[in-house]
Amino acid sequence: ELTCEKYPIEVHAYCLMSNHYHLLMKSVEPCLSDAMRFFGSRFSVQINKDLNADGALFRSRFKSILVDTERYLLQLSRYIHMNPVEAGYCNLPEEYEWSSFRQFLDLEKPRALLKRDETLKLVRNQGDYEYFVHQGIDSELRKQYEKGKCPSILGDQNFIEKVKCL
């Protein structure tokens, strides 16, 4: 939450796993690298303090993907919320307490940092979002991630060409 106070970013979904995390964020200004550096350092300090440990938690720089929001915001939100199920941590995403999914369903009070509206407006209501997530990860998105290398741009060809021209 401190990162969101310090930098103009919006968090649309998150999931903390045992060896990595997923953040679906929108950077309102071009400050993503600074925000992630701040987040990583604050997070590492807090975890090390909690575990009475020291050292780096993350071994490499974060990976970012420029996303065609219209087409892929909902897909990425589902991917993030289904990650613990895919990893075998739970049977249903609402069973996993370290993601934003329970907040999407109002099973927990939404944290101030979480911006659910943009995602939920792409479906009619929370029940439709829950149903959508339970359908599992989209095959097109799964193929992108199974290639072993995340794309730097996620969108249709028109979106990709438009971005490359900027």
Side-chain angles (χ1 to χ4, degrees):
E1 290 178 356
L2 283 174
T3 306
C4 294
E5 291 172 12
K6 185 171 174 64
Y7 296 95
I9 58 172
E10 299 173 354
V11 175
H12 293 270
Y14 66 85
C15 184
L16 177 62
M17 303 292 283
S18 64
N19 62 350
H20 67 283
Y21 60 87
H22 295 274
L23 292 171
L24 179 53
M25 299 184 344
K26 180 190 278 185
S27 181
V28 180
E29 295 176 12
C31 63
L32 188 58
S33 290
D34 291 338
M36 291 306 297
R37 184 173 31 259
F38 181 80
F39 169 78
S41 108
R42 296 290 299 209
F43 187 74
S44 294
V45 166
Q46 187 60 52
I47 294 297
N48 281 331
K49 181 179 174 187
D50 292 349
L51 298 176
N52 195 25
D54 63 2
L57 293 179
F58 309 113
R59 67 175 178 203
S60 61
R61 184 182 184 275
F62 71 94
K63 294 178 180 88
S64 64
I65 304 170
L66 183 60
V67 177
D68 179 357
T69 305
E70 297 279 320
R71 183 157 181 223
Y72 288 98
L73 176 71
L74 201 54
Q75 296 290 344
L76 284 172
S77 183
R78 171 168 61 184
Y79 178 86
I80 289 169
H81 289 140
M82 285 300 291
N83 208 252
V85 175
E86 294 281 320
Y89 292 179
C90 56
N91 292 317
L92 297 168
E94 57 268 31
E95 295 171 351
Y96 193 70
E97 64 181 293
W98 299 102
S99 89
S100 54
F101 188 65
R102 294 177 54 79
Q103 296 166 60
F104 269 81
L105 304 183
D106 284 333
L107 298 173
E108 290 178 7
K109 182 181 178 194
R111 297 177 70 121
L113 67 87
L114 185 63
K115 307 294 183 197
R116 305 178 303 170
D117 294 347
E118 193 168 343
T119 303
L120 290 174
K121 78 178 180 185
L122 298 171
V123 294
R124 286 184 299 219
N125 56 48
Q126 289 168 313
D128 287 348
Y129 181 72
E130 179 179 12
Y131 177 79
F132 174 76
V133 170
H134 283 169
Q135 296 308 299
I137 298 170
D138 179 79
S139 60
E140 182 183 350
L141 192 57
R142 184 183 299 278
K143 284 181 201 172
Q144 291 286 336
Y145 279 95
E146 285 176 351
K147 290 180 182 178
K149 184 179 179 190
C150 294
S152 58
I153 304 171
L154 188 58
D156 63 21
Q157 198 58 40
N158 290 336
F159 179 78
I160 293 170
E161 293 301 321
K162 182 175 149 186
V163 168
K164 285 182 177 179
C165 290
L166 296 177

